[in-house]
Amino acid sequence: CFGFPLSIFFIVINEFCERFSYYGMRAVLTLYFKYFLNWDDNFSTVIYHTFVALCYLTPILGAIVADSWLGKFKTILYLSIVYAIGQTVLSVGSISELSDHNQDGSPDNISLHIALSMIGLILIALGTGGIKPCVSAFGGDQFDDDQEEARSTFFSLFYLSINAGSLLSTIVTPNIRATQCGIHTKQECYPLAFGIPAILMAVALIVFVCGSKMYKKVKPQGNVMLQVCKCIGFAIKNRFRHRSKRFPKREHWLDWASEKYDKRLINQTKMVLKVLFLYIPLPMFWALFDQQGSRWTLQATVMNGDFGIQVQPDQMQIVNPILIVVMVPVVDYLLYPLIKKCKINFTPLKKMTVGMFLASMAFVAAALVQVQIDKTYPVFPAAEQTQIRLMNLGNFPATVQFQPQFQRMDVEPKMATGYMMFKTSELESLSVASGAQNASHSLTDLQGGKRYTFAFKYNGLNITSNLMLDNVTAKPEKGNNLIRFINNNDLPVNVSLDYKNSVVLPPLSAGNYSIIPGGDRQYIIKSTTSISSCTVLAKKFGFGSAYTISIDNCTPGILNITYFEDIAPNSVHMAWQIPQYFLLTCGEVVYSVTGLEFSYSQAPSNMKSVLQAGWLLTVAVGNIIVLIVAGASKLSKQWAEYVLFASLLFAVCIIFAIMATFYTYVDPSEIEAQFDEEEKEKDKKNHDHHEKESEADSKM
């Protein structure tokens, strides 16, 4: 079909569904850890990177199993089943009703959900990692030797299907996650966000099986990776046995394997080890790159996602695949030819060095954004401190004096001060003076580590007041807002938001905070007293804010209200993450694509899979580095951690640049051709020798 074996289309569709399944699940994983399993930012990051590291360690196992025992087809089939089961278990583990016996919306037995989630992730890591080195190679096996052009086109289609699956799933699953679902109470829909990838993985498996009779199945021919490992192991063992000075030194330590292994394998292994040595600094790049799905996603949760439409924090990861699609042709067909025209020798290793530098600059950009975010965070009191805010709900100015002689504050009508910090043990009372009246209020019962609002009003006759505990201990998460009402009437009022959750408030008292989603939606506030009823359309609250809304009086049908900002909304827009994504993607284009090309060009023909495994291993080690640095750094500020990672990669970049200057590029095909010639000459000599022996025998 179109010059391709028909089986190819089953493989491409299978890869699209599998990548949709993997990236769709991974996009929402960090937020699932934080908001469903209630883990903190650091532990969520650690588990996320542990999972990614496993996904890039298991390809080595998959390659060995496929090449040595089962073959590619059976390996893909069996591990895809494991993969689909893992996705299903993860989806089931995210159903809160599984243990929510009291039907309050929260799991009663969180350990059950954690156990199911971890089992699911381990199975997914085994499945996705195990089939990773097999699928593309299995697709290549479908072509005959004379179909090189078609095979090249297939790999382009294959890469396109990977990016299409990644792109689409990163749009879809965060939107599904943000919707509300549940049997008893409505919660964020993690079961469906994981369920859709599970269904796609089942579809991938079915599609792959449907093409079974059309596949060309190459039998396992032994694993080159194992041969290389055995050769290295024997060389080390043999060298250790002959460490005495009476044994002459050999040109290379691998030459100690010559007693058991042929010269070709030893020289091919030397070439592989030469490249693998250059791989040593590479994991640091991946340590930064894979934080898109952890730290950068968590950073987006405290930013403003209003792009005209609501963008979810986990959807910002879509910037990377979009930029990849744009940047790859720009770099390949515009930038590189321009550099070549300027007669600059931009070698693959120089490109990779530039990629590392750009990735480190991306984290500098992330640190600058984080500094701006930190400026918007509210300051909460320590255990021995108390914060008090003054709120004048009357129509007359007032003066408040804290006792003993701390601060004297003038508060205008319908205004509030910011939160003032005091040492709890030193506060005794405060007095309010307005008009000709004066009133005092005791502060001896204040609790340390708490916020309070002291609301008061002078109505022309006397001063009334109320000290209220503000039970907010952190900025609202996930971009949600907190809203509460305070009654500024002389009669009790019944207040509702969008005609729901109405609450009756006595005069000068406040209700509890209600959580409302962030965004540009406007709500209807309704107030009803014994003598009037009126409504008003509330303003847009943005993302991550907290407000106290004073219910004042009614003018014909219209409710008058006053807004008091308890916590400022997220003011740093998610668009400020685009520069860091741009720098990281530019780094990926010149680093990752070039690295794969370099590895392929420097590897012997039968050992390209060994270097592919080594490349994937650098990704795994990079994620392990995140675990180590995040666990050992103990930095209290997130921007400082970003700077630390940027500094580490910059230092590694310099080391890699120095290593690259000592590397000599080789042409493996020429070296192998020399061995072919030597073997031909050897065979010819053996043949001539046998002929001479035969002639001698015949003469006798």
Side-chain angles (χ1 to χ4, degrees):
C1 185
F2 301 108
F4 295 99
L6 193 59
S7 56
I8 285 303
F9 297 97
F10 291 95
I11 294 170
V12 170
I13 295 168
N14 165 270
E15 183 65 11
F16 168 81
C17 294
E18 188 274 325
R19 289 290 86 186
F20 185 108
S21 177
Y22 175 73
Y23 283 107
M25 173 274 302
R26 206 174 96 167
V28 301
L29 198 55
T30 301
L31 299 188
Y32 171 69
F33 291 154
K34 182 173 181 180
Y35 298 123
F36 186 86
L37 299 182
N38 297 319
W39 292 341
D40 62 24
D41 287 5
N42 285 337
F43 194 62
S44 298
T45 300
V46 164
I47 299 300
Y48 174 86
H49 286 284
T50 302
F51 167 70
V52 176
L54 277 174
C55 289
Y56 284 93
L57 283 171
T58 48
I60 297 171
L61 180 64
I64 292 171
V65 169
D67 291 347
S68 302
W69 296 296
L70 295 179
K72 298 183 188 75
F73 174 77
K74 286 184 178 179
T75 302
I76 296 168
L77 177 63
Y78 296 154
L79 289 180
S80 292
I81 294 170
V82 172
Y83 193 166
I85 292 170
Q87 289 280 33
T88 305
V89 170
L90 178 62
S91 179
V92 171
S94 65
I95 301 172
S96 61
E97 280 84 357
L98 208 62
S99 67
D100 185 15
H101 305 301
N102 59 5
Q103 300 181 9
D104 65 347
S106 299
D108 299 333
N109 183 7
I110 197 68
S111 299
L112 173 65
H113 298 273
I114 292 172
L116 287 173
S117 299
M118 294 305 102
I119 291 168
L121 289 175
I122 290 168
L123 293 175
I124 291 168
L126 186 63
T128 188
I131 68 175
K132 195 184 292 290
C134 302
V135 180
S136 58
F138 186 66
D141 289 345
Q142 306 308 305
F143 295 89
D144 296 327
D145 293 337
D146 59 349
Q147 291 182 292
E148 283 189 17
E149 190 176 335
R151 185 188 286 114
S152 176
T153 307
F154 158 72
F155 283 117
S156 297
L157 282 172
F158 189 80
Y159 188 72
L160 181 64
S161 71
I162 291 171
N163 282 283
S166 167
L167 190 66
L168 192 60
S169 65
T170 311
I171 297 170
V172 172
T173 54
N175 272 331
I176 294 171
R177 188 266 310 160
T179 59
Q180 302 286 310
C181 67
I183 300 170
H184 306 302
T185 56
K186 299 299 179 185
Q187 305 289 329
E188 283 192 314
C189 205
Y190 288 107
L192 195 56
F194 291 134
I196 296 295
I199 292 167
L200 263 291
M201 192 56 228
V203 171
L205 178 59
I206 292 166
V207 168
F208 184 72
V209 171
C210 285
S212 176
K213 292 183 179 179
M214 303 176 196
Y215 298 139
K216 186 189 291 182
K217 300 168 188 174
V218 180
K219 291 182 179 180
Q221 298 173 345
N223 196 294
V224 177
M225 201 184 306
L226 287 177
Q227 289 180 327
V228 170
C229 292
K230 286 177 180 178
C231 179
I232 293 169
F234 181 79
I236 294 169
K237 188 177 177 182
N238 201 33
R239 177 69 186 91
F240 184 76
R241 283 176 181 169
H242 300 87
R243 61 188 181 277
S244 173
K245 290 182 179 179
R246 62 192 177 90
F247 294 103
K249 287 185 178 180
R250 302 191 182 181
E251 188 179 340
H252 191 280
W253 64 270
L254 264 176
D255 292 330
W256 287 95
S258 58
E259 282 88 342
K260 187 175 180 180
Y261 295 93
D262 62 66
K263 195 176 179 182
R264 178 191 284 262
L265 178 64
I266 291 169
N267 278 275
Q268 288 174 332
T269 306
K270 285 179 185 178
M271 284 189 277
V272 167
L273 290 180
K274 192 179 175 184
V275 178
L276 288 178
F277 176 72
L278 277 177
Y279 280 5
I280 293 173
L282 303 191
M284 201 64 226
F285 175 88
W286 300 112
L288 276 68
F289 181 81
D290 278 334
Q291 288 189 56
Q292 292 175 88
S294 57
R295 291 300 197 200
W296 286 13
T297 298
L298 292 171
Q299 185 185 62
T301 62
V302 290
M303 300 177 78
N304 182 352
D306 185 9
F307 285 84
I309 59 170
Q310 172 60 31
V311 173
Q312 300 300 325
D314 33 359
Q315 279 183 317
M316 279 303 290
Q317 297 172 58
I318 200 176
V319 175
N320 176 254
I322 289 174
L323 287 175
I324 280 284
V325 171
V326 175
M327 292 299 297
V328 168
V330 169
V331 169
D332 282 348
Y333 299 110
L334 186 65
L335 185 62
Y336 288 162
L338 190 63
I339 291 171
K340 193 175 181 180
K341 206 169 185 180
C342 295
K343 296 182 180 179
I344 298 172
N345 186 21
F346 202 33
T347 62
L349 293 180
K350 286 179 182 176
K351 292 175 186 176
M352 293 172 71
T353 306
V354 170
M356 286 183 176
F357 175 75
L358 290 171
S360 69
M361 290 301 101
F363 267 64
V364 172
L368 293 173
V369 171
Q370 190 64 45
V371 167
Q372 297 305 312
I373 292 171
D374 289 350
K375 289 178 182 177
T376 68
Y377 283 163
V379 178
F380 290 93
E384 70 282 356
Q385 296 174 321
T386 297
Q387 284 182 333
I388 298 178
R389 174 180 61 169
L390 306 174
M391 184 182 289
N392 185 356
L393 296 176
N395 296 315
F396 301 92
T399 300
V400 178
Q401 173 73 55
F402 287 90
Q403 301 295 341
Q405 303 294 317
F406 282 116
Q407 285 175 269
R408 181 186 178 91
M409 299 290 297
D410 294 324
V411 189
E412 295 299 315
K414 300 294 178 68
M415 297 291 288
T417 66
Y419 283 95
M420 296 171 285
M421 193 81 76
F422 299 94
K423 194 169 183 178
T424 310
S425 59
E426 294 178 355
L427 281 171
E428 293 178 4
S429 64
L430 59 77
S431 61
V432 182
S434 184
Q437 296 294 316
N438 203 315
S440 63
H441 196 290
S442 174
L443 299 176
T444 55
D445 294 332
L446 294 180
Q447 300 176 47
K450 302 290 185 182
R451 278 183 156 196
Y452 292 88
T453 293
F454 182 73
F456 60 89
K457 63 185 290 189
Y458 173 57
N459 58 11
L461 297 173
N462 53 45
I463 296 172
T464 55
S465 63
N466 186 16
L467 183 67
M468 300 171 292
L469 174 66
D470 298 348
N471 58 336
V472 178
T473 57
K475 189 175 176 68
E477 295 184 323
K478 297 186 280 187
N480 290 329
N481 302 297
L482 296 173
I483 305 298
R484 69 172 178 175
F485 300 102
I486 185 168
N487 181 8
N488 192 21
N489 287 271
D490 295 329
L491 297 172
V493 297
N494 188 315
V495 188
S496 65
L497 192 68
D498 269 7
Y499 307 104
K500 298 174 185 176
N501 303 323
S502 59
V503 59
V504 177
L505 300 175
L508 216 63
S509 67
N512 295 323
Y513 283 101
S514 298
I515 299 174
I516 63 170
D520 59 358
R521 182 184 165 189
Q522 291 182 282
Y523 294 84
I524 296 171
I525 300 173
K526 182 179 180 182
S527 169
T528 305
T529 67
S530 57
I531 59 173
S532 66
S533 178
C534 48
T535 60
V536 69
L537 192 64
K539 73 170 190 174
K540 299 174 183 179
F541 296 112
F543 302 85
S545 68
Y547 284 93
T548 296
I549 301 174
S550 170
I551 305 298
D552 299 332
N553 58 338
C554 281
T555 53
I558 302 297
L559 175 64
N560 294 312
I561 59 176
T562 307
Y563 296 95
F564 297 97
E565 188 180 85
D566 304 345
I567 295 175
N570 300 341
S571 56
V572 182
H573 201 276
M574 279 187 199
W576 283 107
Q577 279 197 322
I578 293 175
Q580 66 202 52
Y581 273 102
F582 175 75
L583 286 168
L584 192 65
T585 304
C586 289
E588 180 191 3
V589 170
V590 295
Y591 173 89
S592 182
V593 177
T594 306
L596 287 169
E597 176 196 337
F598 168 77
S599 301
Y600 193 87
S601 68
Q602 297 297 293
S605 58
N606 64 332
M607 293 197 181
K608 298 190 187 296
S609 61
V610 177
L611 281 183
Q612 179 68 16
W615 181 263
L616 294 173
L617 190 62
T618 64
V619 183
V621 175
N623 282 273
I624 293 168
I625 289 171
V626 179
L627 308 184
I628 296 168
V629 174
S633 65
K634 304 298 181 185
L635 295 171
S636 58
K637 297 291 185 181
Q638 185 56 55
W639 67 263
E641 187 179 285
Y642 287 145
V643 171
L644 174 62
F645 275 108
S647 303
L648 288 172
L649 183 57
F650 184 72
V652 167
C653 178
I654 294 170
I655 294 167
F656 183 77
I658 295 168
M659 291 170 65
T661 58
F662 292 100
Y663 184 84
T664 306
Y665 291 86
V666 297
D667 186 348
S669 59
E670 285 186 9
I671 296 171
E672 288 178 335
Q674 289 175 8
F675 280 110
D676 289 337
E677 286 296 323
E678 287 177 10
E679 286 177 5
K680 283 179 183 178
E681 286 181 15
K682 189 177 178 181
D683 290 341
K684 188 179 179 182
K685 285 179 182 178
N686 289 336
H687 180 71
D688 292 342
H689 179 68
H690 286 306
E691 280 190 348
K692 286 178 182 179
E693 284 185 346
S694 298
E695 287 176 9
D697 289 340
S698 63
K699 286 178 181 178
M700 289 176 66

